[in-house]
Amino acid sequence: MKKVIQKMSLVVFLLSTTLISACTQSLGAVESNQTASIAAQGPLDAKEIETFADPLFADKMKEFNVTGSSFVVVRDGKVIVNKGYGFADKEKKTPVDKDTVFQIASVSKTFTALAAMQQVDAGKIDLHGNVEEYLGGLKIPNKTGKPVSMYDLLTYSTGFELPDETTFTGPQYIGQDISMDEFLPKHMPTVIRPPGEAYTYDNTGFLLAGYAVEKASGIPYAQYMDEKVFKPLGMTSTSVRFKPELMKRMAAHYDLNGEPRPAEGHAPTDGPQGSILSTAEDMAKYMIMQLQNGKFDGKEIVSEKSMDLMHSFQIFAEKDIPITTAGFENYFPEFANGQHVVLKGGNMPGHSSLMVLIPEQKTGFFMSYNNDTMFSADIYKEFMDHYFPEKVKAKADPESDYLPLSEGDAQKYFGLYQNTRFYWTRTSITYENGSLVLEGEATGKQKLRMIHPLLFVDEEGEKIAFKKDQNGNIKYFYYTTAKGASLAADSQKMEMVNTYSDVPNTSSYKTHINNLSAFSIMGAKTGSKFDPTGTMTQGEFADALIKAQGMYVMAGSEDGIRQQMVAGIPNLNPSAPITRQVAAAMIQNLKQLEPVATSKVTLQDTADAWAKDAITALVSQGVVDPDTKVSADGSFTFRSKDLLKRQEASALLDLAFGYYSLPIKR
């Protein structure tokens, strides 16, 4: 994510020897000191908050091309400021105000966690028992032998193989009524990691949590939320569903270019993981209840014990790196300035929201806006720096604080890792001159120095925490970098296939073959044989390419990926053998690489016109099999119309979609 840090300039007034200028100066200094004093106490004064927020929102909305945004601040059980900026609908010139409706998306997860904890309070759900007991007979496929609990669902630690397999959104779902009973049996992912062992942002987990609330209470989820949460809080403009009276006040949706786009609904219709609509007015009441330990207007909405579970971190990457509570998260921990902050963001196409709670300060703010940029992250940082600045900046660890690491001790970290949510994010960890070396497409190469055996720091000061599995082996890492290496999940070490009986150790393809085997992209053809010089059909290569690209993990995406993959390639036949030029064109259709300006390459053999640009783009970036040699002058022969061998496919797919930082230096 792009970090934008705006530094406030310090105005220094020079004292004058004249009485007039001294008096003028003292009045300005008094006003400045009063403003600073108010800010130092946190957000207490509406005028001061607006003086801070108005220019900030104006600047950041312009920077992130945001059309309109709400903003509400609560403190000590009261609403201090609740106002809108810009337009809910710029075509109609409708301003955003406290009653403008937005899709709050994944902020809905905190409501589902609250409902689940209500059922725990009532004794209808055992927080640590097998959650299948509350799913009305629905079974969760599970390869681990350890059952999933409600606690696992709420803390993003279920161990699902495809946690976004149930994430279906689109305009077509707004007018439909799809029940969880109908939807879930058709779209249930499998648990492949012991529940509680690894953190993975998990939409399916919260969908199941809401389903359990429905079954345990005997009340449909949407009705339950209306009766047990929204109505007691006076949230009259909040709903799980698209109600007509709310649709009339809903902000328009815009893309990153500021162009209108349609609203999207969910399947199932009631989406405990993200379908709630609300306003700043209503969310203020919700935050006040959260900050009053579950009480609102003299009523207990949920027990203080349950609220403590929602506000206390439960899942840690390392003891000093908390990740999730029951429902809330801790991304951008560096923005918290030493405060205990729990937050939850949400994004739907065209709408985004962020709720930030500082329980010990009885303070919170909420904002919704009508595009899906990271505008809210900048507001969060500026808000914390202004009202809760870090008193003592942590100094960088001196070199002497890093522990030595021998190559022998480093071996346990070595390997290929894959993000447990977004499979396209892959990382290699090796060793060089006393440090681990991490390489990934998002991060580039980073030298990691050891703080202690499970905690390292990269060259930019970002931490990476390793985690052991139940057998005590290094199995995961969590990376706090803003470059996206963690992407809201642990990364898991892949099991390497050491050898195939027909792939000699001297083969220049061995590493590529083993890498693809580790990621389950390509494996043995028969038995223990890879068949390196065998050919592939177009369909077989397409299947491997889909896995290599990794974006198939997002529900409903595979059809679109397959269409993009074959665009512009004539006469395709899934059962026909694939040529090298067809393979190159398929890869480039998904990878969309630009030729490297400093790496001029010239194709010497004949290729069809639709394939030439793809071939040269890949080769200029270093995506080329070992048997294709590029001369010093950049000329090369690609053997474009030859049939693609399996070992060549392994090299091209590994180099294009592995952990490499492109262009690859050869």
Side-chain angles (χ1 to χ4, degrees), residues 265-281:
H266 286 78
T269 303
D270 297 342
Q273 77 282 25
S275 73
I276 291 177
L277 292 74
S278 192
T279 65
E281 179 78 357

Side-chain angles (χ1 to χ4, degrees), residues 366-510:
F366 176 82
M367 58 187 291
S368 290
Y369 51 101
N370 48 12
N371 72 10
D372 47 352
T373 63
M374 292 305 293
F375 162 56
S376 58
D378 278 29
I379 301 300
Y380 169 41
K381 183 192 185 310
E382 296 292 345
F383 182 92
M384 295 303 295
D385 284 351
H386 185 71
Y387 290 111
F388 302 102
E390 192 168 8
K391 293 180 180 178
V392 179
K393 292 290 183 182
K395 63 179 181 179
D397 292 321
E399 194 71 29
S400 60
D401 286 354
Y402 298 121
L403 299 178
L405 181 67
S406 68
E407 186 167 5
D409 289 339
Q411 298 266 348
K412 58 179 172 281
Y413 307 98
F414 289 1
L416 299 180
Y417 294 75
Q418 181 170 264
N419 188 272
T420 55
R421 184 188 184 197
F422 294 139
Y423 288 2
W424 61 84
T425 302
R426 297 161 180 143
T427 308
S428 164
I429 292 183
T430 54
Y431 178 84
E432 184 179 303
N433 298 328
S435 298
L436 293 182
V437 177
L438 176 146
E439 182 185 6
E441 185 175 9
T443 59
K445 285 189 176 182
Q446 289 281 344
K447 182 172 68 173
L448 307 179
R449 290 176 289 183
M450 186 166 66
I451 298 173
H452 64 69
L454 291 178
L455 185 64
F456 289 71
V457 64
D458 70 13
E459 297 168 65
E460 298 172 12
E462 304 285 1
K463 291 180 179 178
I464 175 170
F466 289 89
K467 188 184 299 183
K468 296 179 180 179
D469 64 13
Q470 55 191 348
N471 298 317
N473 300 314
I474 296 292
K475 188 67 174 178
Y476 308 98
F477 74 71
Y478 180 80
Y479 202 5
T480 61
T481 177
K483 292 180 179 178
S486 288
L487 290 173
D490 286 340
S491 288
Q492 179 177 346
K493 186 191 286 190
M494 298 289 98
E495 297 294 331
M496 296 297 294
V497 175
N498 291 325
T499 185
Y500 290 99
S501 61
D502 57 349
V503 180
N505 289 333
T506 56
S507 170
S508 57
Y509 290 93
K510 181 179 175 65

Side-chain angles (χ1 to χ4, degrees), residues 512 516 591 622-626 650-660 662 664 666:
H512 300 304
L516 262 64
K591 193 66 180 177
V623 180
V624 59
D625 58 284
S650 73
L652 294 176
L653 293 176
D654 182 32
L655 293 169
F657 299 102
Y659 54 85
Y660 302 94
L662 298 176
I664 296 168
R666 299 181 64 83

Side-chain angles (χ1 to χ4, degrees), residues 38 47 54 59 82 96 214 342-343 387 400 481 532 543 546:
I38 292 171
K47 182 178 179 182
D54 290 357
D59 178 56
N82 189 358
V96 174
E214 181 174 288
V342 296
L343 52 77
Y387 290 111
S400 60
T481 177
D543 290 343
I546 290 290

Side-chain angles (χ1 to χ4, degrees), residues 600-641:
K600 299 292 184 182
V601 293
T602 306
L603 178 64
Q604 296 295 301
D605 58 313
T606 302
D608 290 332
W610 48 264
K612 288 181 179 178
D613 288 347
I615 293 169
T616 55
L618 292 177
V619 173
S620 76
Q621 289 270 4
V623 180
V624 59
D625 58 284
D627 288 327
T628 300
K629 306 300 182 184
V630 181
S631 300
D633 64 358
S635 61
F636 69 97
T637 299
F638 192 70
R639 311 180 307 285
S640 304
K641 298 191 177 184

Side-chain angles (χ1 to χ4, degrees), residues 330-343 356 358 380-381 384-385 388-390:
N330 184 42
Y331 50 83
F332 304 122
E334 66 274 20
F335 294 173
N337 291 344
Q339 296 287 335
H340 177 77
V341 176
V342 296
L343 52 77
V356 174
I358 314 168
Y380 169 41
K381 183 192 185 310
M384 295 303 295
D385 284 351
F388 302 102
E390 192 168 8

